[in-house]
Amino acid sequence: MPVPFLDMRAMTDEVRPIVLAEWERLLDRSEFVGGDEVVKFERDWASYCGAARCIGVANGTDALHLVLRALDMAPGDEVVVPANTFVATAEAVVLAGATPVFADVDPHTLLMTGEAAAASITPHTRVVVAVHLFGQMADMTELGALCRRHGILLVEDAAQAHGAAWRGRPPGSDSVAACFSFYPGKNLGAFGDAGAVVTSDERLADAVAELRDHGRRLGSHHLHGSIGTNSRLDAMQAAVLRVKLPHLGAWNARRRRIADDYGERLRGTCARPVARRVEAMHVYHLMVVRVPARDVVLGRLASAGIDAGVHYRAPCHQLEPYRRYWRRPLPVVEQAAGEILSLPMYPHLDSDQIDAVTDALAACTVGSEAVVA
Ligand SMILES: *Cc1c(COP(=O)(O)O)cnc(C)c1O
């Protein structure tokens, strides 16, 4: 049985008639960028995250970039980021004019801990970016305490963590700001690119709102208070996100149930799921397991028609443009990069498909090791 990595069509079909009706309404009004629809989504998403403000932007990379710009990074300022993240996290730091400093992660969760971040702090550190990778929030208690102790700011990359929580608190609760991507494949995805910044800091919110619109002073047409960019959220995407938002809780619950099923059925195979912390409400953007001889296993799965992925094959510090920022050994990240495998994961994955994946993994296991060759 072939199993795709992601079935976006099933999610699209659940919302299609309502999205089309909303789009008809917007075409009638011919309001395409910003406007009422965007304001309404910003209100909905702020409220979902329990934050005072949400600023819709063009994508998740811009959300990070504009928050860092609003925090006034100066050349030489350092921003600590985990090395095993999507390149956009480090990219946003460089775009904002600061220097990324790569940190190692916890071997069980593959998330940056307070201890790992602490090892990368210098007198130049201004910000730590917690990346909630795979749908699980990093230990915000530890990272928050570390940042308070050093007088530095904590920012969240929540691009994979829509609806996640740490000790019951969603992204944006215990940091300066949380940055979301609504790229179509994320847990809450638009029908194109979109992103948002969530914060309870009014001044930061206003600064990001100004930067996303060419630095235009809020409420003014002609006054430009800063050199911004064009990173506005369009109304067509805001409408999709508003229609999809009421489904997010149920979709995340299905992802968690699927992860539990995987966990049970993978016992005794060569695949070990990345650990889940009890304090975390994990939303399983990705179902990541570790296997020995990963590329052999990946090949076997492909022959069985199972579409798996690797997130990410090369840690950021090993990507050519980012090597210059590499300072310290990152043994956990480097070992994990050769062992991680992302299994098919989406709310509509059914029990037979999960069986097909776990049977294929069992077939490449001898004892608890992967068959090599
Ligand atoms: C998707 C993603 C981003 C970037 O979001 P875009 O909307 O693609 O710009 C940033 N960080 C992480 C961890 C992501 O998964």
Side-chain angles (χ1 to χ4, degrees):
M1 172 194 286
V3 183
F5 181 67
L6 180 61
D7 182 358
M8 220 125 63
R9 176 67 189 272
M11 269 182 283
T12 302
D13 283 346
E14 275 196 48
V15 297
R16 177 193 296 258
I18 307 182
V19 168
L20 288 176
E22 291 296 320
W23 276 5
E24 285 278 356
R25 202 171 50 76
L26 285 173
L27 294 190
D28 288 342
R29 292 215 311 256
S30 283
E31 186 177 86
F32 299 117
V33 173
D36 211 31
E37 199 62 27
V38 170
V39 171
K40 282 183 182 156
F41 170 68
E42 289 175 333
R43 211 177 292 146
D44 292 352
W45 188 242
S47 143
Y48 186 87
C49 297
R53 296 279 295 276
C54 165
I55 303 98
V57 295
N59 55 65
T61 308
D62 278 359
L64 287 159
H65 171 203
L66 295 185
V67 164
L68 293 169
R69 283 274 324 270
L71 295 175
D72 275 326
M73 293 293 118
D77 283 351
E78 294 177 358
V79 178
V80 176
V81 301
N84 64 333
T85 178
F86 181 54
V87 70
T89 320
E91 185 180 41
V93 173
V94 178
L95 287 174
T99 301
V101 176
F102 296 115
D104 212 353
V105 295
D106 175 73
H108 306 289
T109 60
L110 302 183
L111 299 171
M112 187 172 65
T113 57
E115 199 185 326
S120 294
I121 286 177
T122 77
H124 303 291
T125 310
R126 294 259 340 265
V127 176
V128 169
V129 181
V131 179
H132 306 318
L133 205 63
F134 310 146
Q136 175 165 229
M137 284 180 68
D139 187 330
M140 292 298 288
T141 318
E142 266 184 35
L143 291 169
L146 174 79
C147 288
R148 277 191 301 278
R149 201 156 62 238
H150 290 273
I152 55 190
L153 302 169
L154 182 56
V155 168
E156 296 170 82
D157 179 341
Q160 302 189 0
H162 313 76
W166 175 258
R167 296 185 194 271
R169 297 169 65 76
S173 308
D174 297 291
S175 68
V176 169
C179 303
F180 289 92
S181 163
F182 304 113
Y183 180 75
K186 309 287 185 181
N187 287 30
L188 179 64
F191 291 176
D193 279 306
V197 172
V198 157
T199 180
S200 291
D201 180 330
E202 296 286 346
R203 274 190 43 206
L204 180 68
D206 287 346
V208 171
E210 193 174 290
L211 287 170
R212 76 169 163 185
D213 188 25
H214 303 295
R216 207 190 312 260
R217 284 256 185 262
L218 299 179
S220 156
H221 241 334
H222 313 291
L223 294 176
H224 294 260
S226 50
I227 298 177
T229 184
N230 174 5
S231 184
R232 296 172 298 227
L233 176 61
D234 75 69
M236 303 299 273
Q237 301 308 336
V240 173
L241 294 168
R242 287 189 72 213
V243 172
K244 277 187 156 187
L245 181 52
H247 296 266
L248 179 61
W251 285 341
N252 281 344
R254 284 161 79 163
R255 287 175 184 269
R256 271 195 298 279
R257 216 155 41 231
I258 291 162
D260 288 343
D261 286 350
Y262 265 131
E264 272 170 37
R265 298 178 211 188
L266 287 173
R267 278 201 204 110
T269 73
C270 62
R272 290 172 296 126
V274 165
R276 164 164 52 174
R277 293 273 304 265
V278 292
E279 301 94 327
M281 163 70 94
H282 196 322
V283 294
Y284 288 96
H285 173 59
L286 293 168
M287 177 71 206
V288 178
V289 298
R290 295 175 77 158
V291 291
R294 193 262 322 280
D295 290 331
V296 176
V297 173
L298 200 55
R300 295 278 181 105
L301 291 178
S303 336
I306 287 149
D307 197 7
V310 178
H311 298 83
Y312 298 91
R313 206 167 255 282
C316 293
H317 66 286
Q318 291 179 346
L319 297 170
E320 202 281 319
Y322 295 90
R323 276 176 203 266
R324 73 189 74 166
Y325 303 113
W326 181 4
R327 286 188 189 169
R328 57 173 48 253
L330 300 162
V332 178
V333 162
E334 286 178 11
Q335 185 178 347
E339 299 177 357
I340 47 176
L341 185 64
S342 308
L343 302 179
M345 169 57 87
Y346 45 89
H348 301 79
L349 193 69
D350 69 32
S351 189
D352 292 342
Q353 291 174 308
I354 299 172
D355 276 339
V357 176
T358 54
D359 288 351
L361 282 164
C364 41
T365 305
V366 172
S368 63
E369 291 296 304
V371 178
V372 182

